[in-house]
Amino acid sequence: MRVTDGVAALSLAVLLAVVAGSVTTRALYDATGGGVNLLVPGAIELAGLSLSLMVFAALPGAALRGLARVDILIDGLPPRIAGTLTRLWDLTLSVAAGVLGWLLLARARLEWSAGHLSQDLGWPLWPVTGFAALAAVLMMLATLWRALWPGRRP
């Protein structure tokens, strides 16, 4: 999951740079009454694409390390029941991630075949959706691993 964690970190860096750049150039534009226009067309779109990549790229590693749970409920139960509930949760999440991956793959194929492009930048959308599908499948595998072999690292 180091690769997807790296993609998430890079996407976060791009997102931060785009937002900081947009705020700075907007302030300069406003301060000069529009005399200096360094606004980047498509900045909002780039931020949205970066955010999508970041979220989906972070999911497999987060799922492998263990997602948030309601400890107050689980910790009060006997260990065997708590372990069973945790495994059931991981299996349920695995199924949900698998369905999400399948739906995202279908969407990516549609975007590719129809030639869908982003509105401002004109970039193809299928690579981002395809990556999200791959990340969802990796999340499915990570949660399945946790359900079948709790406590073991892959």
Side-chain angles (χ1 to χ4, degrees):
M1 302 301 157
R2 289 182 188 172
V3 172
T4 56
D5 288 345
V7 170
L10 181 61
S11 298
L12 177 61
V14 169
L15 177 61
L16 290 174
V18 168
V19 170
S22 293
V23 168
T24 303
T25 57
R26 172 58 69 180
L28 183 61
Y29 180 81
D30 290 343
T32 61
V36 177
N37 184 1
L38 299 176
L39 299 173
V40 177
I44 292 173
E45 191 172 88
L46 184 57
L49 293 172
S50 297
L51 180 62
S52 296
L53 282 173
M54 180 188 67
V55 168
F56 277 99
L59 285 175
L64 191 60
R65 289 184 286 278
L67 297 170
R69 66 181 193 160
V70 183
D71 287 336
I72 194 166
L73 173 66
I74 299 293
D75 289 347
L77 297 172
R80 187 171 179 181
I81 294 173
T84 300
L85 287 176
T86 300
R87 283 183 172 158
L88 284 173
W89 169 248
D90 284 334
L91 285 173
T92 302
L93 193 55
S94 182
V95 170
V99 170
L100 180 63
W102 178 67
L103 292 171
L104 285 167
L105 181 61
R107 178 67 189 186
R109 290 178 61 201
L110 172 70
E111 290 172 349
W112 179 72
S113 65
H116 290 175
L117 302 175
S118 64
Q119 183 175 342
D120 295 331
L121 298 172
W123 291 355
L125 294 173
W126 69 265
V128 174
T129 309
F131 178 81
L134 173 64
V137 169
L138 290 173
M139 180 181 177
M140 176 194 72
L141 294 173
T143 53
L144 187 59
W145 179 274
R146 285 180 53 85
L148 297 177
W149 298 285
R152 288 184 53 197
R153 298 282 301 167

